[in-house]
């Protein structure tokens, strides 16, 4: 019996990447995995070109991060050196999960977990990001504004007619202060967990990651309901995560708007409604999800989402006024 409890043979690895069918591979030798490597090539935009290496090891696998941008997580922990990956334990690279299929010591055969909510760390490591509210956020420094500026400055290519989608922006409240409080190493770990929670729930909602910068995301969804359910799931997952690790607690703020947007050949979004979504998000506080009136109206028909009475606001650079609503995700 090998180190991981498997009896003979080469380990079998299942790779689940966003929007693709699961891929099973019998690992007979060391193999790289990434977007542009001599091995398993993925379409996941959250994965680096040469992200990680998988090596067979007595019925299990040793996984090594190859200096990737977003890091590699095993059981929710960012790894810095070659790490054992026994059967049933999940590794996460970008939004792609990797599971060794086999029989752990004293256990039944492992069936890979399908629920993306478990892909970051398993239920035991999911915590939420909790934090004292900032006194006054500086909108000029927020990742939301920076992402919106990138979208506004870029020029659409082969855009064509606009598609009606729901656009979401999110970032971590007071991220600069949090990074200074925690220190670089600890902050990097927290940021990796946050990014993985966002990306795994994005996979579940069948959304698309348009851009990411620092702690901020620009996302799109094929419907308002999928966007709202994503926001609910992320906020709840972050709350559970912070409940277990209050010293590392952070909160994210989110904003959603539905409208037509031009989509370039490489997947970027452009247009007025992208800016509206960013402006709505920038009005949110940590732990809050704000939505535009359009998004609320579209998603309210079934009565399964709850909102407050709304408030009238002015959005910089956008002719208004606008009414924004707080989504009750609790």
């Amino acid at each position: 019996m090998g180190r991981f409890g498997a009896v003979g043979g080469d380990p079998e690895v299942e790779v689940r990447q966003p929007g693709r069918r699961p891929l099973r591979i019998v690992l007979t030798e060391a193999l790289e995995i990434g977007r542009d490597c001599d091995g398993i090539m993925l379409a996941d935009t959250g994965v680096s070109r040469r992200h990680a290496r998988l090596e067979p090891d007595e019925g299990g696998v040793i996984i090594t991060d190859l200096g990737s941008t977003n890091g590699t997580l095993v059981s929710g922990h960012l790894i810095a050196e070659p790490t054992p990956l026994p059967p049933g334990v999940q590794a996460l690279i970008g939004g792609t999960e990797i599971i060794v299929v086999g029989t752990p010591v004293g256990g039944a055969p492992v069936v890979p977990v399908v629920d993306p909510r478990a892909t970051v760390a398993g239920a035991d490591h999911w915590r939420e990001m909790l934090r004292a509210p900032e006194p006054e956020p500086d909108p000029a420094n927020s990742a939301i504004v920076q992402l919106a500026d990138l979208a506004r400055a870029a020029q659409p290519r082969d855009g064509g007619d606009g598609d009606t989608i729901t656009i979401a922006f999110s970032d971590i409240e007071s991220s600069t202060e949090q990074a200074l409080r925690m220190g670089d190493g600890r902050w990097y770990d927290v940021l990796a967990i946050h990014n993985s929670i966002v990306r795994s729930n994005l996979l579940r909602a069948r959304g698309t990651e348009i851009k990411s910068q620092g702690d901020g995301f620009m996302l799109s969804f094929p419907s308002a309901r999928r966007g709202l359910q994503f926001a609910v799931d992320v906020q709840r997952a972050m709350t559970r995560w912070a409940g277990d690790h209050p010293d590392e607690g952070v909160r994210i703020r989110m904003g959603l708007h539905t409208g037509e947007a031009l989509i370039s050949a490489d997947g970027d979004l452009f247009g007025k409604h992208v800016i509206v979504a960013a402006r709505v998000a920038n009005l949110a506080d940590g732990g809050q999800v704000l939505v535009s009136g359009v998004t609320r109206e579209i998603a309210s028909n079934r009565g399964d989402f709850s909102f407050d009475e709304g408030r009238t606001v002015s959005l910089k650079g956008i002719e208004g006024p606008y009414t924004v609503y707080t989504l009750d995700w609790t």
Side-chain angles (χ1 to χ4, degrees):
M1 183 172 292
R3 177 187 306 182
F4 299 109
V7 181
D10 298 310
E12 185 177 5
V13 176
E14 180 156 305
V15 179
R16 294 178 173 270
Q17 61 176 315
R20 304 250 173 162
R21 291 182 178 179
L23 173 67
R24 285 203 178 188
I25 298 170
V26 176
L27 199 64
T28 59
E29 59 183 358
L31 199 62
E32 288 189 0
I33 183 168
R35 288 189 296 109
D36 184 12
C37 66
D38 185 16
I40 307 172
M41 296 183 64
L42 306 177
D44 184 349
T45 57
V47 172
S48 296
R49 289 187 174 183
R50 296 178 63 242
H51 197 111
R53 182 173 60 250
L54 304 175
E55 302 174 67
D57 185 58
E58 297 182 328
V61 169
I62 299 294
I63 184 168
T64 305
D65 186 81
L66 299 177
S68 65
T69 300
N70 294 325
T72 298
L73 286 87
V74 174
S75 292
H77 300 287
L78 200 65
I79 64 172
E81 57 187 22
T83 301
L85 188 64
V89 174
Q90 294 161 322
L92 191 73
I93 60 173
T96 297
E97 60 177 316
I98 302 168
I99 305 172
V100 178
V101 183
T103 305
V105 176
V110 171
V111 178
V113 177
V114 178
D115 187 351
R117 289 174 297 180
T119 60
V120 173
D124 292 343
H125 293 91
W126 278 71
R127 338 171 234 165
E128 144 125 326
M129 303 181 169
L130 198 52
R131 200 208 67 125
E134 61 183 326
E136 193 71 45
D138 181 2
N141 293 327
S142 77
I144 291 171
V145 170
Q146 294 173 29
L147 287 169
D149 288 344
L150 287 174
R152 184 171 59 248
Q155 295 298 319
R157 299 185 297 277
D158 302 325
D161 295 334
D163 291 336
T164 300
I165 56 176
T166 292
I167 305 156
F169 284 84
S170 75
D171 70 1
I172 296 176
E173 181 186 50
S174 297
S175 58
T176 301
E177 291 83 351
Q178 292 284 33
L180 291 173
R181 177 177 67 84
M182 295 182 192
D184 290 345
R186 193 175 176 194
W187 172 249
Y188 185 80
D189 288 348
V190 170
L191 189 61
I193 294 290
H194 160 266
N195 291 351
S196 295
I197 288 175
V198 170
R199 288 181 170 126
S200 58
N201 279 283
L202 183 67
L203 170 63
R204 183 187 183 203
R206 299 180 186 175
T208 301
E209 180 179 333
I210 306 301
K211 294 178 185 291
S212 63
Q213 181 167 328
D215 62 296
F217 284 90
M218 175 183 174
L219 312 167
S220 70
F221 300 88
S223 72
R225 300 186 62 79
R226 287 192 181 276
L228 290 174
Q229 191 59 57
F230 161 83
V232 169
D233 290 344
V234 167
Q235 292 287 12
R236 288 177 177 173
M238 303 283 274
T239 300
R240 292 192 294 270
W241 193 87
D244 290 341
H245 300 79
D247 290 341
E248 299 174 357
V250 295
R251 302 193 303 177
I252 65 171
R253 55 200 190 117
M254 309 174 74
L256 294 88
H257 172 63
T258 303
E260 288 189 348
L262 294 176
I263 304 177
S264 72
D266 58 2
D268 280 350
L269 298 182
F270 307 90
K272 168 187 173 182
H273 295 289
V274 175
I275 307 303
V276 170
R279 297 286 187 253
V280 169
N282 209 44
L283 294 173
D285 295 323
Q288 187 177 38
V289 178
L290 282 184
V291 306
S292 69
V294 176
T295 302
R296 174 186 175 274
E297 183 176 357
I298 292 173
S300 293
N301 293 335
R302 298 185 190 176
D304 51 347
F305 291 108
S306 298
F307 305 87
D308 68 0
E309 296 300 317
R311 57 188 170 102
T312 301
V313 298
S314 296
L315 304 181
K316 182 181 177 182
I318 304 293
E319 186 177 353
Y322 273 79
T323 302
V324 296
Y325 301 84
T326 300
L327 172 66
D328 180 7
W329 55 267
T330 60

